Amino acid sequence: LHLAHCHGGILGSSWHIVLATLQHLAWILGLKPSTGGSLQATQKPMTDTNSITQVMTDLPVLSTMLSQLFESSQYLDDVALHHLIDALCKLSHEAMELAYNNREPSLFAVAKLLETGLVNLNRIEVLWRPLTNHLLEICQHPHIRMREWGVEAITYLVKSALQYKYEVPLKENMKLQTLLLGPLSELSSVPHGDVRQRQLECVLQVLNGAGEILTHGWPLILGIIGTFNDHHGEQLIRIAFQCLQLVVTDFLPAMPWRCLPLCVNTAAKFGSQMQELNISLTAVGLMWNISDYFNQNQDKLSQNVGDDISVLPDFPHTLNMPHFDKLWMVLYARLGDLCVDSRPAVSCYFLI
């Protein structure tokens, strides 16, 4: 620990040897990952012998020393930090290979990737892609414990990164918003329902904690919310719909106008899903809420709807239609689709 702490900047590829040794130590001592990537003792001594009792007493100290090692990575230069992350990814790949054989994997490397990421948010662009790309691999793993910690690390990092105070405020930094939300969006392609549920729970927390700054991140957020089908379970669809309700209720004014067609289409998708009738009916109500927003903000939206009209579809015989009217047409077209829904409760909703 002392060697790595004092000379981490020159270890280079030797980080792997050091980390493998520390991983083995953590396994011997029964240290397991906890919130934020720190390690905590989960095993209790089997006997009352003085030696074991002394070791158990020292476990919090050893855990703190391990955390301090990775906290000190903030003082490494960019090249040395990449060596550390590469070594942790290599160690994690070895754990993944063991887990493919249905052996209990070590989660040491995953936890320490999370901890390393958290203490280096000030240079997020240096580490974000290599770190999150590996965590996305873990989220695809068939072993449930590997997946759990892969998605825990990604969601924890995303939430922390969105709350971090950057030199250029995140609200004004389109590139950084897209970078940070990218891994969360890529979780939509993971076939495991437990990962998708954690992803949507994270989106709900992001909306509650940082929704007002997502000026450029709305396409990714709405894309995550709307990525579901009737093969997904009711619980997943219910959480996704909670996210959409929060968006429509609280964040339409904060949303760039070019995201409004996507918001309408996402609400319509919930209206047409077949898993939960109540969600379909409530989604139609949300579309009427969006209609009210359009109506009450006509002047503002008419002025903004001008640039980048590629998000507005072409409708027959509407060559010279004003762009704001095309925005209305997007809404009317989706409502029209729901008017002919096969379920009477949905199609007849418009007659009330």
mmCIF file of all heavy atoms in Angstrom, residues 265-294:
data_model
loop_
_atom_site.group_PDB
_atom_site.id
_atom_site.type_symbol
_atom_site.label_atom_id
_atom_site.label_comp_id
_atom_site.label_asym_id
_atom_site.label_seq_id
_atom_site.Cartn_x
_atom_site.Cartn_y
_atom_site.Cartn_z
ATOM 1 N N ASN A 265 -44.082 11.965 -29.188
ATOM 2 C CA ASN A 265 -44.018 10.578 -29.676
ATOM 3 C C ASN A 265 -43.799 9.584 -28.531
ATOM 4 O O ASN A 265 -44.327 8.467 -28.562
ATOM 5 C CB ASN A 265 -42.898 10.440 -30.708
ATOM 6 C CG ASN A 265 -43.225 11.148 -32.003
ATOM 7 O OD1 ASN A 265 -44.387 11.284 -32.379
ATOM 8 N ND2 ASN A 265 -42.202 11.647 -32.690
ATOM 9 N N THR A 266 -43.025 10.002 -27.521
ATOM 10 C CA THR A 266 -42.793 9.127 -26.373
ATOM 11 C C THR A 266 -44.088 8.934 -25.588
ATOM 12 O O THR A 266 -44.418 7.814 -25.181
ATOM 13 C CB THR A 266 -41.702 9.718 -25.461
ATOM 14 O OG1 THR A 266 -40.510 9.925 -26.227
ATOM 15 C CG2 THR A 266 -41.393 8.784 -24.305
ATOM 16 N N ALA A 267 -44.826 10.021 -25.375
ATOM 17 C CA ALA A 267 -46.112 9.911 -24.670
ATOM 18 C C ALA A 267 -47.083 9.023 -25.453
ATOM 19 O O ALA A 267 -47.792 8.194 -24.873
ATOM 20 C CB ALA A 267 -46.708 11.297 -24.460
ATOM 21 N N ALA A 268 -47.082 9.172 -26.784
ATOM 22 C CA ALA A 268 -47.971 8.347 -27.610
ATOM 23 C C ALA A 268 -47.596 6.873 -27.534
ATOM 24 O O ALA A 268 -48.469 5.993 -27.580
ATOM 25 C CB ALA A 268 -47.919 8.830 -29.059
ATOM 26 N N LYS A 269 -46.307 6.589 -27.403
ATOM 27 C CA LYS A 269 -45.868 5.196 -27.296
ATOM 28 C C LYS A 269 -46.423 4.556 -26.025
ATOM 29 O O LYS A 269 -46.838 3.392 -26.032
ATOM 30 C CB LYS A 269 -44.345 5.123 -27.321
ATOM 31 C CG LYS A 269 -43.814 3.700 -27.380
ATOM 32 C CD LYS A 269 -42.317 3.649 -27.601
ATOM 33 C CE LYS A 269 -41.844 2.203 -27.705
ATOM 34 N NZ LYS A 269 -40.380 2.094 -27.917
ATOM 35 N N PHE A 270 -46.448 5.325 -24.934
ATOM 36 C CA PHE A 270 -47.051 4.800 -23.708
ATOM 37 C C PHE A 270 -48.554 4.637 -23.872
ATOM 38 O O PHE A 270 -49.152 3.740 -23.289
ATOM 39 C CB PHE A 270 -46.742 5.725 -22.530
ATOM 40 C CG PHE A 270 -45.365 5.537 -21.965
ATOM 41 C CD1 PHE A 270 -44.329 6.379 -22.325
ATOM 42 C CD2 PHE A 270 -45.108 4.511 -21.072
ATOM 43 C CE1 PHE A 270 -43.051 6.203 -21.813
ATOM 44 C CE2 PHE A 270 -43.830 4.319 -20.552
ATOM 45 C CZ PHE A 270 -42.799 5.174 -20.921
ATOM 46 N N GLY A 271 -49.173 5.526 -24.660
ATOM 47 C CA GLY A 271 -50.608 5.388 -24.903
ATOM 48 C C GLY A 271 -50.954 4.123 -25.657
ATOM 49 O O GLY A 271 -52.018 3.533 -25.445
ATOM 50 N N SER A 272 -50.056 3.668 -26.520
ATOM 51 C CA SER A 272 -50.357 2.499 -27.353
ATOM 52 C C SER A 272 -49.844 1.182 -26.787
ATOM 53 O O SER A 272 -50.165 0.114 -27.313
ATOM 54 C CB SER A 272 -49.778 2.708 -28.756
ATOM 55 O OG SER A 272 -48.375 2.850 -28.697
ATOM 56 N N GLN A 273 -49.021 1.229 -25.701
ATOM 57 C CA GLN A 273 -48.516 -0.024 -25.136
ATOM 58 C C GLN A 273 -49.676 -0.840 -24.547
ATOM 59 O O GLN A 273 -50.692 -0.294 -24.126
ATOM 60 C CB GLN A 273 -47.426 0.241 -24.083
ATOM 61 C CG GLN A 273 -47.832 1.122 -22.924
ATOM 62 C CD GLN A 273 -48.637 0.415 -21.857
ATOM 63 O OE1 GLN A 273 -48.436 -0.774 -21.573
ATOM 64 N NE2 GLN A 273 -49.582 1.134 -21.273
ATOM 65 N N MET A 274 -49.529 -2.160 -24.538
ATOM 66 C CA MET A 274 -50.630 -3.055 -24.172
ATOM 67 C C MET A 274 -50.509 -3.666 -22.779
ATOM 68 O O MET A 274 -51.378 -4.440 -22.378
ATOM 69 C CB MET A 274 -50.704 -4.195 -25.209
ATOM 70 C CG MET A 274 -51.061 -3.724 -26.602
ATOM 71 S SD MET A 274 -52.757 -3.113 -26.682
ATOM 72 C CE MET A 274 -52.887 -2.655 -28.415
ATOM 73 N N GLN A 275 -49.448 -3.348 -22.057
ATOM 74 C CA GLN A 275 -49.241 -3.996 -20.754
ATOM 75 C C GLN A 275 -50.173 -3.446 -19.680
ATOM 76 O O GLN A 275 -50.713 -4.187 -18.879
ATOM 77 C CB GLN A 275 -47.778 -3.816 -20.311
ATOM 78 C CG GLN A 275 -46.780 -4.630 -21.105
ATOM 79 C CD GLN A 275 -46.634 -6.040 -20.552
ATOM 80 O OE1 GLN A 275 -47.431 -6.492 -19.759
ATOM 81 N NE2 GLN A 275 -45.612 -6.731 -20.997
ATOM 82 N N GLU A 276 -50.319 -2.136 -19.640
ATOM 83 C CA GLU A 276 -51.058 -1.472 -18.562
ATOM 84 C C GLU A 276 -52.065 -0.494 -19.153
ATOM 85 O O GLU A 276 -51.696 0.548 -19.668
ATOM 86 C CB GLU A 276 -50.081 -0.717 -17.647
ATOM 87 C CG GLU A 276 -49.363 -1.590 -16.626
ATOM 88 C CD GLU A 276 -50.178 -1.712 -15.333
ATOM 89 O OE1 GLU A 276 -51.244 -1.099 -15.240
ATOM 90 O OE2 GLU A 276 -49.716 -2.451 -14.443
ATOM 91 N N LEU A 277 -53.351 -0.821 -19.056
ATOM 92 C CA LEU A 277 -54.385 0.045 -19.606
ATOM 93 C C LEU A 277 -54.399 1.403 -18.913
ATOM 94 O O LEU A 277 -54.562 2.445 -19.562
ATOM 95 C CB LEU A 277 -55.757 -0.625 -19.474
ATOM 96 C CG LEU A 277 -56.952 0.202 -19.965
ATOM 97 C CD1 LEU A 277 -56.802 0.537 -21.440
ATOM 98 C CD2 LEU A 277 -58.262 -0.541 -19.700
ATOM 99 N N ASN A 278 -54.221 1.413 -17.596
ATOM 100 C CA ASN A 278 -54.255 2.687 -16.873
ATOM 101 C C ASN A 278 -53.146 3.625 -17.335
ATOM 102 O O ASN A 278 -53.340 4.843 -17.392
ATOM 103 C CB ASN A 278 -54.134 2.450 -15.360
ATOM 104 C CG ASN A 278 -55.409 1.896 -14.762
ATOM 105 O OD1 ASN A 278 -56.495 2.080 -15.328
ATOM 106 N ND2 ASN A 278 -55.304 1.222 -13.634
ATOM 107 N N ILE A 279 -51.977 3.052 -17.648
ATOM 108 C CA ILE A 279 -50.885 3.878 -18.170
ATOM 109 C C ILE A 279 -51.260 4.455 -19.525
ATOM 110 O O ILE A 279 -50.988 5.630 -19.817
ATOM 111 C CB ILE A 279 -49.579 3.059 -18.243
ATOM 112 C CG1 ILE A 279 -49.006 2.844 -16.837
ATOM 113 C CG2 ILE A 279 -48.549 3.743 -19.137
ATOM 114 C CD1 ILE A 279 -47.725 2.043 -16.788
ATOM 115 N N SER A 280 -51.908 3.654 -20.370
ATOM 116 C CA SER A 280 -52.338 4.150 -21.685
ATOM 117 C C SER A 280 -53.277 5.337 -21.532
ATOM 118 O O SER A 280 -53.132 6.361 -22.211
ATOM 119 C CB SER A 280 -53.030 3.036 -22.473
ATOM 120 O OG SER A 280 -52.120 2.013 -22.812
ATOM 121 N N LEU A 281 -54.246 5.216 -20.632
ATOM 122 C CA LEU A 281 -55.210 6.301 -20.439
ATOM 123 C C LEU A 281 -54.544 7.544 -19.857
ATOM 124 O O LEU A 281 -54.826 8.672 -20.276
ATOM 125 C CB LEU A 281 -56.333 5.830 -19.513
ATOM 126 C CG LEU A 281 -57.188 4.661 -20.043
ATOM 127 C CD1 LEU A 281 -58.179 4.195 -18.993
ATOM 128 C CD2 LEU A 281 -57.912 5.065 -21.325
ATOM 129 N N THR A 282 -53.643 7.339 -18.909
ATOM 130 C CA THR A 282 -52.943 8.482 -18.316
ATOM 131 C C THR A 282 -52.031 9.143 -19.335
ATOM 132 O O THR A 282 -51.853 10.371 -19.329
ATOM 133 C CB THR A 282 -52.126 8.026 -17.088
ATOM 134 O OG1 THR A 282 -52.961 7.274 -16.208
ATOM 135 C CG2 THR A 282 -51.576 9.221 -16.330
ATOM 136 N N ALA A 283 -51.450 8.343 -20.233
ATOM 137 C CA ALA A 283 -50.575 8.899 -21.276
ATOM 138 C C ALA A 283 -51.362 9.813 -22.209
ATOM 139 O O ALA A 283 -50.852 10.857 -22.644
ATOM 140 C CB ALA A 283 -49.913 7.770 -22.062
ATOM 141 N N VAL A 284 -52.596 9.436 -22.515
ATOM 142 C CA VAL A 284 -53.435 10.315 -23.341
ATOM 143 C C VAL A 284 -53.661 11.637 -22.617
ATOM 144 O O VAL A 284 -53.607 12.718 -23.217
ATOM 145 C CB VAL A 284 -54.780 9.635 -23.670
ATOM 146 C CG1 VAL A 284 -55.689 10.592 -24.429
ATOM 147 C CG2 VAL A 284 -54.557 8.369 -24.487
ATOM 148 N N GLY A 285 -53.883 11.553 -21.300
ATOM 149 C CA GLY A 285 -54.023 12.776 -20.512
ATOM 150 C C GLY A 285 -52.774 13.642 -20.572
ATOM 151 O O GLY A 285 -52.862 14.875 -20.642
ATOM 152 N N LEU A 286 -51.590 13.012 -20.566
ATOM 153 C CA LEU A 286 -50.341 13.777 -20.687
ATOM 154 C C LEU A 286 -50.254 14.476 -22.040
ATOM 155 O O LEU A 286 -49.734 15.607 -22.130
ATOM 156 C CB LEU A 286 -49.135 12.843 -20.521
ATOM 157 C CG LEU A 286 -48.842 12.301 -19.119
ATOM 158 C CD1 LEU A 286 -47.571 11.448 -19.138
ATOM 159 C CD2 LEU A 286 -48.679 13.435 -18.110
ATOM 160 N N MET A 287 -50.772 13.833 -23.070
ATOM 161 C CA MET A 287 -50.742 14.462 -24.389
ATOM 162 C C MET A 287 -51.630 15.701 -24.424
ATOM 163 O O MET A 287 -51.295 16.703 -25.055
ATOM 164 C CB MET A 287 -51.148 13.444 -25.459
ATOM 165 C CG MET A 287 -50.137 12.296 -25.597
ATOM 166 S SD MET A 287 -50.617 11.036 -26.766
ATOM 167 C CE MET A 287 -50.321 11.880 -28.322
ATOM 168 N N TRP A 288 -52.735 15.643 -23.717
ATOM 169 C CA TRP A 288 -53.566 16.847 -23.603
ATOM 170 C C TRP A 288 -52.840 17.926 -22.808
ATOM 171 O O TRP A 288 -52.975 19.119 -23.090
ATOM 172 C CB TRP A 288 -54.909 16.522 -22.946
ATOM 173 C CG TRP A 288 -55.857 15.752 -23.827
ATOM 174 C CD1 TRP A 288 -56.426 14.549 -23.569
ATOM 175 C CD2 TRP A 288 -56.341 16.142 -25.123
ATOM 176 N NE1 TRP A 288 -57.217 14.150 -24.615
ATOM 177 C CE2 TRP A 288 -57.197 15.112 -25.581
ATOM 178 C CE3 TRP A 288 -56.126 17.253 -25.939
ATOM 179 C CZ2 TRP A 288 -57.829 15.177 -26.808
ATOM 180 C CZ3 TRP A 288 -56.763 17.316 -27.174
ATOM 181 C CH2 TRP A 288 -57.610 16.283 -27.593
ATOM 182 N N ASN A 289 -52.066 17.533 -21.802
ATOM 183 C CA ASN A 289 -51.265 18.509 -21.053
ATOM 184 C C ASN A 289 -50.238 19.182 -21.959
ATOM 185 O O ASN A 289 -49.991 20.391 -21.851
ATOM 186 C CB ASN A 289 -50.541 17.829 -19.884
ATOM 187 C CG ASN A 289 -51.481 17.363 -18.793
ATOM 188 O OD1 ASN A 289 -52.640 17.763 -18.761
ATOM 189 N ND2 ASN A 289 -50.988 16.514 -17.900
ATOM 190 N N ILE A 290 -49.631 18.386 -22.841
ATOM 191 C CA ILE A 290 -48.691 18.959 -23.803
ATOM 192 C C ILE A 290 -49.418 19.929 -24.730
ATOM 193 O O ILE A 290 -48.909 21.012 -25.066
ATOM 194 C CB ILE A 290 -47.998 17.845 -24.612
ATOM 195 C CG1 ILE A 290 -47.141 16.973 -23.693
ATOM 196 C CG2 ILE A 290 -47.141 18.439 -25.724
ATOM 197 C CD1 ILE A 290 -46.565 15.729 -24.367
ATOM 198 N N SER A 291 -50.643 19.571 -25.124
ATOM 199 C CA SER A 291 -51.465 20.460 -25.955
ATOM 200 C C SER A 291 -51.716 21.792 -25.251
ATOM 201 O O SER A 291 -51.607 22.862 -25.865
ATOM 202 C CB SER A 291 -52.791 19.767 -26.273
ATOM 203 O OG SER A 291 -53.723 20.659 -26.830
ATOM 204 N N ASP A 292 -52.028 21.729 -23.956
ATOM 205 C CA ASP A 292 -52.238 22.961 -23.186
ATOM 206 C C ASP A 292 -50.972 23.812 -23.162
ATOM 207 O O ASP A 292 -51.029 25.045 -23.261
ATOM 208 C CB ASP A 292 -52.658 22.628 -21.749
ATOM 209 C CG ASP A 292 -54.069 22.043 -21.679
ATOM 210 O OD1 ASP A 292 -54.847 22.263 -22.624
ATOM 211 O OD2 ASP A 292 -54.376 21.364 -20.679
ATOM 212 N N TYR A 293 -49.826 23.145 -23.023
ATOM 213 C CA TYR A 293 -48.549 23.869 -23.007
ATOM 214 C C TYR A 293 -48.316 24.569 -24.347
ATOM 215 O O TYR A 293 -47.899 25.734 -24.381
ATOM 216 C CB TYR A 293 -47.401 22.909 -22.693
ATOM 217 C CG TYR A 293 -46.041 23.533 -22.829
ATOM 218 C CD1 TYR A 293 -45.583 24.440 -21.877
ATOM 219 C CD2 TYR A 293 -45.213 23.240 -23.920
ATOM 220 C CE1 TYR A 293 -44.328 25.038 -22.005
ATOM 221 C CE2 TYR A 293 -43.980 23.833 -24.051
ATOM 222 C CZ TYR A 293 -43.532 24.731 -23.092
ATOM 223 O OH TYR A 293 -42.311 25.328 -23.225
ATOM 224 N N PHE A 294 -48.587 23.881 -25.451
ATOM 225 C CA PHE A 294 -48.449 24.498 -26.769
ATOM 226 C C PHE A 294 -49.343 25.736 -26.869
ATOM 227 O O PHE A 294 -48.915 26.793 -27.347
ATOM 228 C CB PHE A 294 -48.838 23.513 -27.866
ATOM 229 C CG PHE A 294 -47.831 22.422 -28.123
ATOM 230 C CD1 PHE A 294 -46.653 22.348 -27.407
ATOM 231 C CD2 PHE A 294 -48.069 21.462 -29.095
ATOM 232 C CE1 PHE A 294 -45.726 21.338 -27.641
ATOM 233 C CE2 PHE A 294 -47.151 20.451 -29.347
ATOM 234 C CZ PHE A 294 -45.989 20.385 -28.618
#
